[in-house]
Every structure is written in C-alpha cells, then in structure tokens.
Amino acid sequence: MTKTAIVTGASRGIGAACAVELARIGYAVAVNYRVNKNAAEKVAERIVSEGGQAFAFCADISVPEEVSALFDAAAKRFGSVSLLVNNAGISHIGLLQDMTDADIRRQLEVNLMGAIICSREAAKQMVPQKSGSIINIASMWGEVGASCEAVYSACKAGIIGFTKALAKELGPSGIRVNCVSPGVIRTDMNSELTEDTLRELTDETPLLRIGSPEDVAKAVAFLSRDESSFITGQILPVNGGITV
Ligand code: NAP
C-alpha cells in the first residue's frame, strides 16, 4: 500500500532532496512550497519521471487554514498522511537589537509555530490510524546557539524540545517523532555566506566538507523507515562530526 508523506518547504534545498528520496523508498509525496511554484512543480515532475507519485501544493505553514488545506489535499490524493517532514524554514542573520518586531514574529511563526501547526494537523490524521511518523528539521544552531542568529537558534532549540515532548505524547498512539539536526548544508539559505566563511566552516568540520541536501535526506529516509521503528524522541545530528 502506498504511504503518504508531506514535506514542507520541498521546492528547494533540503526539502526537495527529502521529497525525492522519500519517493524513491515508496512514499507518495505532497511537495509543499510557499512562493516558488515552478520549482515545486519541477520536484514533483522529477519524482513522477522516476516512477513515483507526487504533486506540488502551495501553503504557508504559518497559516492554519492553509495547513489544513495541504493535509486535506494530500489525504484526498493519496490517502491519510503517514509521514510529515517539518522542513520549511527561513533564516535571519543580524544583531538582535536590529531586528524589528515583525522580523522576530516571522521567525517564530515559520520556524517554530509552522512546525507545531503542521504536527497538530498530522496528529489529527495519525492518531486514529494508530501509526505515523513526524520528522522535524532542527539545526546545529539550536543545540549550540549561533551569534547573529539568536531568534533562529531559539526556534530550532524549541523544535528540539517540541520533538522530545511530542514523542512522549504520541508514542502511546504508535506515532514516532524525531528530529534531524543538520550542520552547514549547501543550499539557498547559505547563499549569503562568502566563500571565505564557507571555507572556515569547512575547516571546523571534522569531515572537512560542507553537507549536501542529500546527506540530510538520507537521514530523514532512515528515520521514516520501519528499520527505525524503536527510535523516537531523538535528535540525529547530520553535521560532519562537529561536537554539539
Ligand atoms: P532553503 O533552501 O532556503 O529552502 C527553504 C524552503 O522552505 C523552500 O522550499 C521555501 O519555499 C520553504 N518555505 C519558506 N517559508 C515557508 C512557509 N512559510 N511556508 C511553506 N514553505 C516555506 O532552505 P534549506 O537550507 O533547504 O533549509 C531547510 C530546513 O533546514 C530549514 O528548516 C532550515 O532551518 C534547516 N537547516 C538548514 C541548514 C543549512 O545549512 N542549509 C542547516 C541546518 C538546518 P519557497 O521556495 O516557495 O520559498
């Protein structure tokens, strides 16, 4: 039987790699995006061209009505959702004292509230099924804290706490909740970093390279599989060996 996955923020970067990888292991995938329709449709087309099932769906994960519409569309198309990957996120680099209320609110709304709203919607479909899996994408900065990304780091630390708590709440219903915590991954989110900064970050990484979206996607695929069926409430670092 085909299993249904929703990957938020799957038009680009880590989310796109997760959508492709999950389709390869048999999930029918809802490829969520907020603005980049063409990119999301290309991800869905790639999955279909490889023999999988996917469709692109626009929803701002910080808006509960749009999240409900996303889950309804996925269930209608492929059947009840059995996997949610809370991946969509935005960064903000700058001093805290320079951030506006709107900057702070948007970080919290997308990076923390968004994952919580999507997980609530997932729980509504998964609890009656007594099975399912939620995988949250946190960040190494949520574990160690990043200067000039204090609010982003706080959101990601919140995601880690949320993962541990929700795993306890949903475990008795047969639902696993885990977290992948990436280090520095080459995506659009890091496009503002200079080559010098990327070189420094590479030098600080024991494996001496920056990660790829596929590195993260492979970890997500592992946590989605039955092979990891006794793993819940865990934080899996995918960071090239940086000590957190
Ligand atoms: P990215 O390349 O900037 O892509 C962000 C994705 O999120 C896009 O698909 C974007 O959709 C979507 N998105 C943004 N706001 C959204 C919203 N309100 N509703 C729905 N979708 C939204 O980012 P990335 O580097 O792949 O990061 C993915 C996740 O990994 C994020 O949670 C990030 O914090 C985390 N992470 C990244 C790194 C890294 O080094 N890159 C490290 C640690 C953790 P559109 O294309 O439509 O805008």
Side-chain angles (χ1 to χ4, degrees):
M1 199 182 77
T2 310
K3 291 194 282 182
T4 306
I6 291 178
V7 183
T8 67
S11 50
R12 302 182 270 135
I14 293 169
C18 289
V20 169
E21 188 63 30
L22 291 169
R24 285 179 184 157
I25 62 168
Y27 282 95
V29 186
V31 176
N32 163 248
Y33 67 98
R34 193 179 73 84
V35 287
N36 281 306
K37 185 172 194 256
N38 276 352
E41 283 176 347
K42 282 209 175 89
V43 173
E45 282 163 19
R46 179 176 170 193
I47 289 171
V48 171
S49 75
E50 290 186 7
Q53 297 183 74
F55 73 108
F57 195 90
C58 178
D60 183 331
I61 57 153
S62 69
V63 179
E65 296 74 20
E66 295 187 22
V67 170
S68 290
L70 167 65
F71 276 75
D72 287 350
K76 206 167 166 191
R77 189 96 168 216
F78 300 131
S80 278
V81 174
S82 55
L83 172 66
L84 166 67
V85 181
N86 277 316
N87 165 80
I90 52 172
S91 69
H92 180 105
I93 298 176
L95 296 171
L96 178 63
Q97 64 262 35
D98 294 337
M99 289 181 80
T100 64
D101 288 350
D103 293 335
I104 294 169
R105 199 170 293 118
R106 193 63 188 150
Q107 281 288 302
L108 291 164
E109 278 173 358
V110 177
N111 293 332
L112 188 53
M113 277 288 284
I116 293 172
I117 292 167
C118 289
S119 300
R120 179 178 64 186
E121 207 58 39
K124 287 182 196 166
Q125 290 199 19
M126 292 174 183
V127 169
Q129 295 169 190
K130 291 262 175 210
S131 72
S133 177
I134 297 173
I135 302 171
N136 298 318
I137 307 298
S139 164
M140 155 176 101
W141 304 127
E143 298 176 88
V144 299
S147 166
C148 296
E149 287 188 88
V151 182
Y152 176 84
S153 300
C155 291
K156 295 301 188 179
I159 288 290
I160 289 170
F162 177 65
T163 300
K164 292 177 180 173
L166 195 64
K168 288 180 179 167
E169 184 171 319
L170 295 182
S173 298
I175 299 158
R176 299 187 297 120
V177 186
N178 287 293
C179 185
V180 171
S181 182
V184 184
I185 309 296
R186 198 177 276 275
T187 68
D188 292 347
M189 191 174 271
N190 286 325
S191 58
E192 281 176 32
L193 299 182
T194 63
E195 282 305 316
D196 278 350
T197 306
L198 282 172
R199 208 168 302 116
E200 277 167 31
L201 288 164
T202 304
D203 290 344
E204 288 165 18
T205 306
L207 286 178
L208 292 178
R209 70 172 176 88
I210 297 298
S212 69
E214 289 71 26
D215 289 322
V216 182
K218 296 278 184 198
V220 167
F222 166 69
L223 288 172
S224 77
R225 289 184 141 109
D226 287 345
E227 284 92 328
S228 63
S229 65
F230 201 48
I231 301 177
T232 196
Q234 302 306 308
I235 316 306
L236 176 56
V238 179
N239 65 20
I242 292 172
T243 305
V244 290

